[in-house]
Amino acid sequence: MDRIEKTVMVIAIVLLVVFFGAIVVAATSYGVDVPTCVTDRKPFVESAPPFKTSDQPLRYEVHTVARMWMFDPPEITVPPGAEIDFYLSSADVVHGYHVEGTNINLMAVPGAVTYARLKFDREGSYSVLCHEYCGTAHHLMAGTIVVSHRAMEGEQ
Amino acid sequence: MNAALKLPVEPWARRLVLLEIALPVVLLVLGIYAGLLQVLFRAGVIQAAEFWGWEYYQALTLHGIVNAIVFTTFFAVAFGNALVPYALGTKLPLRWAWVSGIMMIVGTLMAAWAILAGKASVLYTFYPPLMAHPFFYLGAALLIIGSWIAFFNWIPLYLRWRREHPGEKTPLAVVGMFATFIVWLIATVAVAVEVVVLLLPWSLGWTQEVNVPLARMLFWFFGHPLVYFWLLPAYTMYYTMLPRLGGGKLYSDKVARLVFMMFILFSIPVGAHHQFAEPAISSGSKLLHSFLTFAVALPSLLTAFTLAASLEYGARQRGARGLFDWIVKQPFFSTDGWMFSYLIAGLVIFIMGGISGIINASYSMNLLVHNTSWLPGHFHLTVAGPVLLAFLGMSLHLLATYTGKAIRLKRLAVAVPYLWLIGVFIFSWGMMRGGLHGEPRRTNLGMSYLNPDSPFYHPEWKLYVTVTMIGGIIMTLAMIAYFTVFFATALRSRTKEPAAEFPLSEAYHDEPVGALANLRPWVITAIVLIVIAYTPMVRDVLRGTFSNAPGYEPHNPAPVNQIEQLDTSP
Ligand code: HEM
Ligand SMILES: [Cu+2]
């Protein structure tokens, strides 16, 4: 190998190390992480609309069941500022769960539970798409998340 | 360019290679037609579940299986059957080569029947618990095992050559093809286990349920090295032929060997980067696989330098001066060395494919693009870019030299890769931009998201799907031009003696290669890396999976074993 080649090799390695370093920093310092392995929850077939798990005002948990070809619950409503713990399970085949415009991008895999958390600050309606092929009517499988002040009023 | 060395080939070896080239090219006609349908469906031009009897997901299964599995595997085997004996100056042992070829053909026909009969609309990743007809799994197994036999058939040739040429460097072409098939062999063991142990008995009804996360892990153990199996034959052409076609020499023989060894090391322990969004795998495993994915980007970065340096050397020999002159002075449109156009166009496409690939591999950033149309946008810049064009170019070259027929419509043949380049860039721009705006992949958009009558209508994607469609139509035109050249050449009468003939390059820096001379230490290290990367993941999957799943047919939300019970109850 001549000198230029060695230089190129070093530059390439430095570049890749910088890229990877940025990922690790994002995950550790900014909490930008991927869904992970949940071992304390059994897959569920009963869904649960957003409910509160603690005294903190805007903390919710939702249990979504994906099945051919719908999400259950199909629509959920929370107030702005809500921080939701998403638990996702599949009742049949593999599905996807992508909340448009957010980092909630999950796979629903039979036999395990997927988990992610996100805070919704902006009011509006977010489409949720199944983006993994799940059979003949896969393109009809979608849901909505509504972030609205009205959700506040309905609460006791 | 002086003529390449010609070696005679036995008639039955010629026939085998020609069969292994022609069958996938014929199937590719169907695969490309399916691709055209997909862009029309997705743009909302076709707003139906099917078109002329081709259901969207059935056509998509065919598209993935034919283009990405059948065409590529057949090509790699045919190319090796031709190149390995040529580079070693020997003959292909016929018996096992034919056994391998026949197994692959039978397997392909079985799977093709299942797909065309609508009994295997499970896409080319066949994720359980969607269940296909047993012939689909059996066909896949035969194709894979047939390709192993082809590889095993070359090993004695190599060992004999080493005995007869002590102290000499193994020809680079052989190193490239062996790296390809070592990666393939290790990777396909996992998918063979998935298919033969988990899925085949389950689809035959011998077992009731399957562990889905385990099956997915096994699939992706195979699924990523699969892309290197596609890429490495193309790399072999880039390193051994492109410099010569460009009128120069390979800049560094040693770097070429290092690159192939790095692919053996890092191709496999990276599967979890397809599974970032999944349960039952800890984030530690995902991060480790992400790291190793960055390691496997290194050989591609080195390749970019070495190939550019080789081409620059060639152009400077021909009098290029200044900083950029050498780029202009490449034989882009030469009809003599027409294969240059296929290789260079592919490389240009691959720049974009590589950059988008690094984005995908970037752990949490993947959540932005996972399963959106960004992904097919990305990999049409890899597998339908450098891989496709290199394979098409070499298929045409093999057709011409092995039949002894001069290529017809050579100008058209040279136009194909550039037309494809334009088409695939437009196509991928649309797919990738749409993906960033949430457009899903693997979805018949014309039935819902791009249909104004649907409650799911997403007018903001209209621009992206339309651009994608325009790109897709240009790609289709490029392929029609290619098929025209291919079949016009195949159907003409012989113009010269058939022979094996490859434009192999010399090296500019031809140093001793030390530890790179031997494959064994690299393979052993690769296996150690795999064990390190997969042991924690196997533990995660077994710990994180609570129950197994029964099978489902794509059109029925009830599990297959319940439907059968209903059928048999009085
Ligand atoms: C005219 C040329 C082509 C067009 C218009 C085309 C179009 C498409 C489109 C629109 C998709 C995404 C469909 C969806 O996710 O709903 C797709 C998927 C795919 N294409 Fe192509 N394609 C072409 C050629 C090729 C070639 C030559 C290859 C490989 C050598 C290839 C490999 C694939 C693969 C592997 C998939 C993924 C299938 C899946 O998600 O199951 N395509 N193609
Ligand atoms: Cu679904």
Side-chain angles (χ1 to χ4, degrees), chain B residues 191-492:
Chain B
V191 77
V193 169
E194 184 200 1
V195 168
V196 175
V197 179
L198 297 182
L199 302 186
L200 188 57
W202 170 72
S203 79
L204 287 165
W206 298 346
T207 55
Q208 293 301 311
E209 296 191 332
V210 64
N211 182 327
V212 178
L214 180 64
R216 289 173 72 82
M217 186 196 78
L218 290 170
F219 183 84
W220 284 115
F221 182 105
F222 152 81
H224 196 77
L226 170 68
V227 316
Y228 293 110
F229 171 70
W230 297 336
L231 213 50
L232 286 173
Y235 270 51
T236 304
M237 284 178 238
Y238 288 147
Y239 277 112
T240 62
M241 299 172 199
L242 179 69
R244 175 168 181 158
L245 291 166
K249 290 183 176 175
L250 173 61
Y251 190 71
S252 167
D253 171 78
K254 191 170 178 180
V255 169
R257 287 167 202 265
L258 178 64
V259 162
F260 284 121
M261 296 309 149
M262 285 208 260
F263 276 117
I264 295 180
L265 281 189
F266 299 125
S267 286
I268 300 159
V270 295
H273 76 215
H274 290 262
Q275 302 186 283
F276 286 139
E278 276 180 46
I281 301 169
S282 65
S283 27
S285 297
K286 290 176 183 173
L287 196 61
L288 175 61
H289 284 230
S290 181
F291 174 73
L292 289 165
T293 310
F294 279 89
V296 78
L298 185 60
S300 289
L301 290 174
L302 294 183
T303 301
F305 171 79
T306 305
L307 296 183
S310 308
L311 293 175
E312 178 175 350
Y313 171 81
R316 294 215 186 279
Q317 295 303 101
R318 293 193 302 274
R321 47 190 70 233
L323 213 49
F324 297 110
D325 197 27
W326 67 271
I327 298 180
V328 187
K329 281 224 164 66
Q330 298 298 330
F332 292 110
F333 299 101
S334 150
T335 45
D336 277 348
W338 59 273
M339 227 195 331
F340 183 81
S341 59
Y342 284 77
L343 298 183
I344 197 74
L347 270 181
V348 173
I349 300 173
F350 196 38
I351 296 175
M352 293 302 155
I355 294 174
S356 50
I358 289 187
I359 294 174
N360 305 340
S362 295
Y363 193 64
S364 50
M365 213 197 298
N366 177 272
L367 298 183
L368 217 64
V369 297
H370 174 71
N371 266 359
T372 68
S373 59
W374 166 284
L375 256 290
H378 150 73
F379 62 66
H380 284 81
L381 298 172
T382 58
V383 65
V387 175
L388 175 77
L389 291 179
F391 288 16
L392 290 181
M394 183 48 72
S395 293
L396 192 56
H397 176 78
L398 283 171
L399 175 75
T401 51
Y402 268 54
T403 55
K405 298 176 178 183
I407 294 168
R408 291 184 91 164
L409 306 169
K410 250 193 186 164
R411 276 171 207 280
L412 189 61
V414 171
V416 166
Y418 300 114
L419 192 58
W420 180 271
L421 180 146
I422 295 169
V424 82
F425 273 166
I426 297 174
F427 170 89
S428 287
W429 184 89
M431 293 291 274
M432 292 168 84
R433 284 303 291 265
L436 293 178
H437 291 274
E439 182 192 328
R441 70 183 285 199
R442 302 188 141 177
T443 304
N444 183 353
L445 300 178
M447 283 286 276
S448 54
Y449 303 108
L450 263 300
N451 185 335
D453 301 331
S454 158
F456 304 132
Y457 187 45
H458 273 58
E460 69 272 25
W461 295 340
K462 189 84 201 169
L463 170 68
Y464 308 125
V465 292
T466 310
V467 170
T468 300
M469 178 181 72
I470 294 169
I473 291 172
I474 299 175
M475 290 153 75
T476 309
L477 292 176
M479 285 306 298
I480 291 174
Y482 178 81
F483 293 134
T484 310
V485 173
F486 189 92
F487 293 111
T489 304
L491 295 177
R492 83 185 301 181

Side-chain angles (χ1 to χ4, degrees), chain A residues 67 69 71 94-96 130 132-134 138 141:
Chain A
R67 49 164 55 97
W69 291 280
F71 294 115
V94 177
H95 299 274
C130 174
E132 181 57 272
Y133 171 64
C134 57
H138 155 62
M141 182 162 167

Side-chain angles (χ1 to χ4, degrees), chain A residues 4 12 23 28 31 44 46 49 63 65 103 134 139 144 147:
Chain A
I4 321 175
I23 293 170
T28 52
F44 41 86
E46 294 284 310
H63 297 185
V65 178
N103 276 350
C134 57
H139 44 266
T144 343
V147 180

Side-chain angles (χ1 to χ4, degrees), chain B residues 102-262:
Chain B
I102 289 169
M103 280 176 80
M104 289 169 59
I105 292 171
V106 172
T108 301
L109 294 179
M110 285 170 87
W113 171 80
I115 297 169
L116 291 172
K119 292 175 191 298
S121 298
V122 293
L123 305 193
Y124 85 116
T125 45
F126 53 85
Y127 292 140
L130 282 177
M131 190 192 267
H133 191 278
F135 271 23
F136 179 83
Y137 303 113
L138 207 55
L142 281 176
L143 179 71
I144 290 171
I145 295 168
S147 70
W148 291 349
I149 293 176
F151 176 43
F152 297 151
N153 196 31
W154 307 330
I155 294 176
L157 303 183
Y158 166 66
L159 295 178
R160 197 174 64 221
W161 184 92
R162 289 200 64 151
R163 271 199 311 278
E164 289 168 2
H165 300 78
E168 275 181 49
K169 281 198 279 190
T170 310
L172 188 57
V174 176
V175 174
M177 290 318 288
F178 272 52
T180 309
F181 275 83
I182 288 170
V183 169
W184 176 244
L185 183 64
I186 301 177
T188 44
V189 168
V191 77
V193 169
E194 184 200 1
V195 168
V196 175
V197 179
L198 297 182
L199 302 186
L200 188 57
W202 170 72
S203 79
L204 287 165
W206 298 346
T207 55
Q208 293 301 311
E209 296 191 332
V210 64
N211 182 327
V212 178
L214 180 64
R216 289 173 72 82
M217 186 196 78
L218 290 170
F219 183 84
W220 284 115
F221 182 105
F222 152 81
H224 196 77
L226 170 68
V227 316
Y228 293 110
F229 171 70
W230 297 336
L231 213 50
L232 286 173
Y235 270 51
T236 304
M237 284 178 238
Y238 288 147
Y239 277 112
T240 62
M241 299 172 199
L242 179 69
R244 175 168 181 158
L245 291 166
K249 290 183 176 175
L250 173 61
Y251 190 71
S252 167
D253 171 78
K254 191 170 178 180
V255 169
R257 287 167 202 265
L258 178 64
V259 162
F260 284 121
M261 296 309 149
M262 285 208 260

